[in-house]
Amino acid sequence: DVCSSDLVFCVNEPASVNYSSNLPELTLNWGDGNTAPVNPSSGQNVHRYTRPGKFILNLSGDNYFMQDTLTVIDKPRARFTVQLSSDLKCIFNNVSRQGETYSWDFGDESPNEFSYFVSHTYKDTGRYPVRLATINTNGCSDTFLQYVNVQQLSEPVISSNVITPNGDGMNDDVGVNISGETYYEFTIVDATGKIVFRSNDKNQRWGGKNQFTGAECMAETYYYSIAYRFKQNESPKTKMGIITLIRSKN
């Protein structure tokens, strides 16, 4: 006799068939091109189907033949993307397929959540393993794990709108305060639109000189733009303003 433990299986999950017979030499054909000799002493045979569909299971040998139909269901696909907003808050975008129920583990020992779309605020910065599990209506499941780097995000702010580069240690230069960015560019132009400073390093500051010639810039109004983004695949944002350069008269 042959008896499947369940007539419905999930893709890539073990499909088991229990077998008992006094016939010593039988072959089990799983219906997907895979065959296996049957050892009566084991009592069980296991196979994993790699695609969904209906498969005819045949057990044959020594004038013995038995047949059954097995249904293999495709598994759901658990996936998500994440967007980090301000105040350590992450917004999770569920892009799973064919799931019915969902369970989110945010990796910080907080309780699981069971909604389709979720957001979560962490108590501290760090790298957290976020796990999404989904189950479809047939009981097939899938799990997706992604590490999320949680950082403080802060919009760019220039240190001063006025600089007086006279070496007294007060407003001698101007820089940008920003954190959590994935792209950054600070550009300063004069009244004619000529670039006098440009940098992708937020630690680099402008001290009133032409970055390209080394000459001291004239005392006048300059215009800055800060291009930045916090997410790799988003378009950069731009912040603009003015900086007044004042030089002491001798």
Side-chain angles (χ1 to χ4, degrees):
D1 295 328
V2 60
C3 179
S4 60
S5 59
D6 194 343
L7 295 180
V8 179
F9 302 97
C10 302
V11 169
N12 289 324
E13 293 186 355
S16 61
V17 171
N18 298 322
Y19 164 80
S20 62
S21 175
N22 56 3
L23 301 173
E25 295 183 1
L26 296 177
T27 299
L28 186 60
N29 188 325
W30 292 95
D32 62 349
N34 288 277
T35 60
V38 174
N39 181 2
S41 62
S42 68
Q44 188 177 73
N45 297 271
V46 178
H47 179 64
R48 294 177 185 267
Y49 289 90
T50 59
R51 67 181 189 277
K54 289 186 177 294
F55 300 91
I56 305 300
L57 178 72
N58 293 320
L59 184 66
S60 59
D62 290 340
N63 297 319
Y64 181 89
F65 180 82
M66 193 168 186
Q67 188 177 85
D68 207 346
T69 300
L70 305 182
T71 301
V72 180
I73 305 297
D74 203 2
K75 295 177 62 176
R77 182 177 182 268
R79 292 292 186 277
F80 66 84
T81 60
V82 59
Q83 176 183 350
L84 182 62
S85 63
S86 59
D87 300 325
L88 304 180
K89 180 180 179 181
C90 290
I91 300 172
F92 295 94
N93 181 30
N94 193 338
V95 292
S96 302
R97 295 184 302 167
Q98 301 178 348
E100 180 69 17
T101 61
Y102 301 91
S103 176
W104 296 84
D105 181 350
F106 300 111
D108 61 350
E109 299 183 353
S110 62
N112 284 21
E113 292 192 29
F114 303 96
S115 300
Y116 185 81
F117 291 115
V118 298
S119 63
H120 185 69
T121 301
Y122 289 87
K123 295 181 179 180
D124 198 1
T125 59
R127 188 167 185 261
Y128 296 91
V130 179
R131 188 184 305 271
L132 171 62
T134 183
I135 302 175
N136 65 15
T137 55
N138 296 293
C140 299
S141 63
D142 189 37
T143 300
F144 178 66
L145 174 67
Q146 179 176 318
Y147 281 85
V148 175
N149 293 315
V150 179
Q151 298 176 319
Q152 287 279 11
L153 301 184
S154 63
E155 297 288 327
V157 178
I158 63 170
S159 59
S160 176
N161 289 102
V162 178
I163 65 170
T164 56
N166 55 14
D168 65 357
M170 298 179 61
N171 295 329
D172 285 331
D173 54 24
V174 60
V176 177
N177 298 315
I178 186 174
S179 61
E181 77 285 352
T182 60
Y183 171 77
Y184 163 85
E185 184 176 81
F186 184 31
T187 303
I188 300 174
V189 300
D190 63 17
T192 68
K194 183 178 179 180
I195 297 174
V196 297
F197 178 84
R198 175 174 283 167
S199 178
N200 299 111
D201 180 1
K202 66 182 179 183
N203 297 311
Q204 188 174 2
R205 304 170 68 88
W206 182 56
K209 291 185 177 181
N210 187 308
Q211 179 186 30
F212 309 102
T213 66
E216 291 187 345
C217 295
M218 296 177 56
E220 62 179 14
T221 297
Y222 293 82
Y223 303 87
Y224 75 82
S225 66
I226 306 169
Y228 65 100
R229 66 182 173 217
F230 295 117
K231 191 177 180 181
Q232 288 288 356
N233 59 354
E234 71 179 0
S235 298
K237 302 177 183 179
T238 302
K239 183 174 182 178
M240 304 177 71
I242 63 172
I243 299 171
T244 301
L245 172 60
I246 299 174
R247 292 195 182 276
S248 301
K249 295 182 179 180
N250 295 327

